[in-house]
Amino acid sequence: GNGLTGPIPSELGSGPRGEMRLLRLSRNHFTGPLPTELGRLGLLRTLDTTSNNLNGTLPTELALTSQLTRLSLADASFSGGLPRA
């Protein structure tokens, strides 16, 4: 990790980042829920948020990331199920 703290910035899901294929945020100190804006990353294949302090429900917008093949959420306090497309 990089020692990053606070909520995951919603800006990660906007602008030219929409073409992002890999988002590895593991082993930091992020808190709160995943931002709904991550659903705008339509080409995202890997999302790794392992070993953070994330919680809440997974945003339904994650179902919009139709290319997502690897989702790592270990060591978090998420509730509910995986969003469906």
Side-chain angles (χ1 to χ4, degrees):
N2 297 310
L4 301 173
T5 62
I8 295 174
S10 60
E11 292 82 7
L12 285 177
S14 62
R17 294 170 202 84
E19 297 182 10
M20 188 181 312
R21 288 176 171 76
L22 168 70
L23 182 54
R24 186 170 290 140
L25 303 172
S26 59
R27 295 181 175 83
N28 284 290
H29 303 283
F30 287 116
T31 57
L34 288 177
T36 60
E37 290 82 1
L38 293 183
R40 295 183 190 156
L41 300 174
L43 299 177
L44 190 66
R45 292 176 182 236
T46 301
L47 175 58
D48 182 359
T49 65
T50 302
S51 297
N52 280 285
N53 298 312
L54 299 171
N55 58 36
T57 59
L58 296 175
T60 57
E61 290 82 0
L62 271 185
L64 300 174
T65 56
S66 60
Q67 302 294 313
L68 192 63
T69 57
R70 179 175 230 166
L71 179 62
S72 298
L73 305 171
D75 301 323
S77 297
F78 291 115
S79 59
L82 293 174
R84 300 182 118 188

